[in-house]
Amino acid sequence: MHLPRKLIQSKWAMSLSTIAKTSSPASARPRAAAETSSVPTTPAKHAAAASAAARRRRGRSGSHHPHFPPPALRTRRCLPAPRAVASLSGSQAHDALLLRRAADVADRSAGLTSPHPNFGCVIARPQLETDSVEAWVVGEGFLYAQGTPCAELLAAQEAGEHARGATAYLNLEPGDCYGDSTAVASLVQAGITRVVVGLRHPLKHLRGKAIQALRSEGIQVDVVGEDLQSKTFEEALKSCLIVNAPILYRAAFRVPFSVLKYAMTADGKIAASSGHASWVSGKSSRGRVFELRGRSDAVIVGGNTVRRDDPRLTARHVKGHVPVRIVMSQSLNLPEEANLWNVSDAYTIVATQRGARRDFQKKLAMKGVEVVEFDMLNPRDVMSYCYDRGYLSVLWECGGTLAASAISSSVIHKIYAFLAPKIIGGINAPTPVGELGMSQMTQAIDLIDVSYEQIGRDMLMSGYIQPIPDLSPVIPSIDEIPSVDPDVSPYETNIAHKFVGVNNSQARDLVQEIKQAKSPEEAARIGRTQQREFPELVRKDWESTKIDVMYKAIKCKFSTYPHLTKMLLSTAGSVLVEASPHDLFWGGGREGEGLNYLGRLLMQLRSEILGTVPASVEVGGTA
């Protein structure tokens, strides 16, 4: 049984996908308890606290994210809610504004949460002293990345005692799956009395469950389009749809949300007749492209782009997430040396036709590049492959030939076109989209929901080829309601262990930097980069202890999430292999030549749980 590698953001993070045959976009979050209060409050104190919270939010940057592991929570005794001074439910305009704010908050983690949606939560309560929505907000939070605290918990933590009797605004119904009901538990224990939901969860096995769980706890839940049907909510609903367009497209079409980006001159050329294209657009537009990459799980180019431009395709100048680079080439007629073959900062996958240049495939593998063969290389099959890897959003930065093929395959959902005020001319100069087989203008594809934005001297036009699917009206029957679990299980990172105990101030600082990382993915990247640049910082006994450290991390993860144990036991009798083609220690390698220690550890844990081996058995000697 081979295990998918994509969703293991870090082997040390040990995500659910390590033992799952296929990835699930459903959220799997650490379980934790929200704060409740033992401090009496008054309306005046509420107003003062809300104003202070608003000042704090205005003073911090939009890139503020929660660190992991989450801070220890203080346990407080619940007191009755103070007398209501106004009614949020009485003002649909305020509801719409606060729901739109929740969508904006959720958007801060775009590109980081894959395979989970973007969740945002805003907790608000009315104040006698002001009618300003900004002053009403007492707490907000968002899911920063896989393996970090959920939005509802973070918002409840920030609101503290002021959450009691307040309203929570959620851009998307929480995805409480596998018995992890942290989101619901956080709102219930914080004393929230009303929840406004922008969209029901797009995945059928989760849709409606969290809403039902909240209602079963006596909380009023209003869903836009069902309980709230005023036109006042049109813009708020649109914001909720846009921020989670990737998961909506993925759920509806079973492919990642795909965006085609190109820059062209005023006469419609993406390069000169010679192929030279540096630069069509201005610096500000190129900065926007870095942002688009940072919001994507993968960036796709064709072989021509690699040969002519030798791109890096990194999200440089944008801290945080780095997308996977994918090169599509049928013949593998690619250069021996290219920036994309440097995988120190970003992972590279080459998709090709089965059997193409096997010798070159081995050379790429030696550089750490993953080669994936397809029986017939085409955009649809590549997108299905990306879907199986759990990708939510893919950015296409290819030339006109591949762009036309992708559009014809109906895998492109949105267009970003940067128009530069230049004219280059040339009969043979390339254009953004090649032949689509259309002979009449009436056959042209009309973009939907088109918008325009001036970026420096350039104009950015964006629009959808296919409308965002709104799946919320389809509500399945609810067979079971997840229970509210108040347990606290902070996320523990083990990435820093390889630097622990080294008598070096730089190593000690590195340990703290890793512990303060914002997500498991970022922590792993810091560790890899520093180990490569400063190998002397790694503890001397790391090679002999890393298996034990990994096993302890696995046991901790499985004890934290009981559903993982159930899934592991379901594999009884099967051989588990970590399907990593390049990691020959933890993975199985391309052709089974790897040591597969991660698979061995999982099988040892399975045997230990089943009681067939003692807990002290070493895996080093197993076959």
Side-chain angles (χ1 to χ4, degrees), residues 6-7 9 23-26 109-119 143 146 172 201-203 243-251 254-259 295-298 321 383 385-395 411 413:
K6 158 65 183 82
L7 297 187
Q9 300 286 354
S23 60
S24 170
S109 61
L112 295 168
T113 60
S114 178
H116 307 310
N118 296 311
F119 290 101
L143 176 67
Q146 177 173 282
L172 185 70
H201 203 288
L203 302 181
V243 74
N244 269 313
I247 189 69
L248 292 169
Y249 279 100
R250 177 184 167 89
R254 300 187 67 81
V255 293
F257 175 56
S258 293
V259 174
R295 299 170 69 93
S296 305
D297 296 310
H321 172 69
M383 285 298 93
Y385 172 78
C386 290
Y387 175 89
D388 290 339
R389 290 185 75 122
Y391 296 170
L392 285 182
S393 183
V394 173
L395 179 65
V411 298
H413 305 122

Side-chain angles (χ1 to χ4, degrees), residues 377-421:
L377 184 65
N378 60 77
R380 169 63 63 175
D381 286 350
V382 171
M383 285 298 93
S384 295
Y385 172 78
C386 290
Y387 175 89
D388 290 339
R389 290 185 75 122
Y391 296 170
L392 285 182
S393 183
V394 173
L395 179 65
W396 294 69
E397 295 193 47
C398 53
T401 302
L402 184 53
S405 179
I407 292 174
S408 298
S409 299
S410 299
V411 298
I412 299 297
H413 305 122
K414 189 174 185 179
I415 302 293
Y416 277 90
F418 293 86
L419 177 63

Side-chain angles (χ1 to χ4, degrees), residues 530-562:
Q530 294 302 310
Q531 181 180 0
R532 183 172 59 251
E533 295 181 3
F534 307 101
E536 67 277 7
L537 299 182
V538 179
R539 51 192 284 187
K540 302 299 182 184
D541 63 344
W542 178 242
E543 289 302 318
S544 61
T545 61
K546 62 182 181 181
I547 294 178
D548 182 57
V549 172
M550 172 65 94
Y551 193 52
K552 290 180 180 178
I554 293 174
K555 294 185 71 173
C556 177
K557 181 66 68 173
F558 276 78
S559 64
T560 302
Y561 301 108

Side-chain angles (χ1 to χ4, degrees), residues 336-467:
E336 297 270 341
E337 299 296 330
N339 286 325
L340 293 181
W341 310 157
N342 180 358
V343 296
S344 58
D345 293 324
Y347 195 66
T348 300
I349 298 173
V350 173
T352 188
Q353 201 91 354
R354 190 171 304 282
R357 294 189 65 187
R358 288 293 174 86
D359 57 335
F360 186 60
Q361 288 191 33
K362 292 180 179 179
K363 291 180 180 179
L364 290 176
M366 292 292 291
K367 296 175 182 290
V369 176
E370 181 178 352
V371 180
V372 180
E373 294 182 314
F374 292 82
D375 292 331
M376 185 62 68
L377 184 65
N378 60 77
R380 169 63 63 175
D381 286 350
V382 171
M383 285 298 93
S384 295
Y385 172 78
C386 290
Y387 175 89
D388 290 339
R389 290 185 75 122
Y391 296 170
L392 285 182
S393 183
V394 173
L395 179 65
W396 294 69
E397 295 193 47
C398 53
T401 302
L402 184 53
S405 179
I407 292 174
S408 298
S409 299
S410 299
V411 298
I412 299 297
H413 305 122
K414 189 174 185 179
I415 302 293
Y416 277 90
F418 293 86
L419 177 63
K422 301 176 181 178
I423 295 177
I424 188 66
I427 296 176
N428 297 319
T431 59
V433 181
E435 180 60 50
L436 290 175
M438 300 178 182
S439 58
Q440 298 181 3
M441 190 57 65
T442 53
Q443 296 175 293
I445 300 172
D446 288 325
L447 298 185
I448 304 169
D449 196 16
V450 178
S451 62
Y452 303 88
E453 180 183 355
Q454 188 80 34
I455 302 181
R457 297 181 67 241
D458 304 330
M459 178 66 71
L460 170 60
M461 183 200 70
S462 62
Y464 294 87
I465 291 181
Q466 302 178 42

Side-chain angles (χ1 to χ4, degrees), residues 118-339:
N118 296 311
F119 290 101
C121 175
V122 171
I123 297 177
R125 60 184 307 129
Q127 310 297 332
L128 280 174
E129 291 78 5
T130 177
D131 196 42
S132 169
V133 169
E134 171 74 17
W136 287 13
V137 176
V138 294
E140 60 186 26
F142 58 95
L143 176 67
Y144 174 67
Q146 177 173 282
T148 61
C150 64
E152 295 80 4
L153 173 60
L154 295 171
Q157 285 179 320
E158 182 174 317
E161 68 269 19
H162 305 293
R164 185 150 185 82
T167 297
Y169 295 84
L170 311 179
N171 67 299
L172 185 70
E173 176 187 10
D176 288 343
C177 60
Y178 304 111
D180 176 16
S181 53
T182 308
V184 172
S186 300
L187 298 177
V188 171
Q189 295 178 11
I192 296 295
T193 57
R194 178 173 177 253
V195 175
V196 175
V197 178
L199 295 173
R200 287 180 179 260
H201 203 288
L203 302 181
K204 289 184 177 180
H205 67 287
L206 297 174
R207 193 177 306 148
K209 287 191 174 182
I211 292 174
Q212 183 65 29
L214 289 167
R215 286 172 174 166
S216 70
E217 294 290 335
I219 296 176
Q220 177 185 344
V221 181
D222 295 327
V223 182
V224 174
E226 300 172 29
D227 309 287
L228 302 172
Q229 298 187 2
S230 169
K231 290 186 177 181
T232 306
F233 290 95
E234 286 183 356
E235 287 301 314
L237 178 59
K238 180 180 178 180
S239 297
C240 293
L241 288 167
I242 291 175
V243 74
N244 269 313
I247 189 69
L248 292 169
Y249 279 100
R250 177 184 167 89
F253 304 121
R254 300 187 67 81
V255 293
F257 175 56
S258 293
V259 174
L260 173 63
K261 184 261 358 170
Y262 54 82
M264 65 180 183
T265 60
D267 55 340
K269 309 297 184 182
I270 61 174
S273 297
S274 64
H276 186 265
S278 299
W279 296 101
V280 173
S281 58
K283 186 176 181 180
S284 297
S285 294
R286 298 197 296 274
R288 177 63 63 86
V289 172
F290 294 146
E291 294 179 10
L292 289 175
R293 291 176 185 169
R295 299 170 69 93
S296 305
D297 296 310
V299 179
I300 293 182
V301 295
N304 283 335
T305 301
V306 178
R307 288 188 291 269
R308 292 178 179 176
D309 301 339
D310 191 21
R312 293 173 59 190
L313 300 182
T314 57
R316 53 190 183 275
H317 311 315
V318 179
K319 295 182 178 180
H321 172 69
V322 179
V324 172
R325 288 105 41 113
I326 299 178
V327 179
M328 291 181 60
S329 174
Q330 286 188 339
S331 63
L332 273 191
N333 180 22
L334 301 172
E336 297 270 341
E337 299 296 330
N339 286 325

Side-chain angles (χ1 to χ4, degrees), residues 508-526:
R508 290 190 290 271
D509 292 342
L510 177 57
V511 170
Q512 293 304 313
E513 182 181 1
I514 291 174
K515 288 183 176 180
Q516 294 174 5
K518 300 167 186 174
S519 71
E521 178 190 15
E522 182 177 319
R525 186 166 61 250
I526 293 172

